[in-house]
Amino acid sequence: LNTSASKTVDIEDKKERALLGRLNRFLHYQSMVHFKNLGYEKYDFGGYALESRDPDMQSINKFKDSFKGELVEEYTYTPFPLYLAKRILNKG
């Protein structure tokens, strides 16, 4: 259900960009409300560019921060035996 209207790079009209920004925020908020009504307790924006110097990534972080959520650090880890088994099976 997560939809986004964040493709504003090619839009030069400041009013139109601002409107799309507000619509994007509204869509994310509506997604949060929808999933909360279904009983979900967490909403994952997916990724956070911690300490990034890239202005675009900083802007995305600022947008995510504006919802006043909690930043959660998670790791994706595949144990070596499982990684090895996957590699062997994919070559067979």
Side-chain angles (χ1 to χ4, degrees):
L1 180 69
N2 190 1
T3 49
S4 181
S6 61
K7 181 70 175 155
T8 61
V9 176
D10 300 327
I11 299 171
E12 295 184 23
D13 182 351
K14 288 183 181 184
K15 288 183 181 181
E16 189 174 349
R17 284 177 66 114
L19 174 61
L20 282 176
R22 288 191 296 276
L23 288 172
N24 187 41
R25 181 176 181 78
F26 176 75
L27 289 172
H28 277 286
Y29 176 75
Q30 288 300 309
S31 292
M32 290 177 199
V33 170
H34 172 75
F35 288 114
K36 185 173 183 175
N37 288 336
L38 292 176
Y40 290 84
E41 296 179 4
K42 296 182 181 181
Y43 182 85
D44 185 353
F45 274 110
Y48 190 90
L50 193 62
E51 298 179 10
S52 176
R53 293 177 187 239
D54 180 330
D56 290 334
M57 297 309 293
Q58 289 175 342
S59 179
I60 293 169
N61 286 348
K62 184 177 176 182
F63 172 78
K64 292 176 180 181
D65 290 340
S66 72
F67 286 89
K68 307 291 184 201
E70 176 185 352
L71 185 61
V72 176
E73 189 170 355
E74 294 181 338
Y75 299 94
T76 302
Y77 170 75
T78 303
F80 184 72
L82 180 58
Y83 167 78
L84 189 58
K86 287 181 177 181
R87 291 285 302 221
I88 291 170
L89 291 174
N90 284 335
K91 289 191 177 200

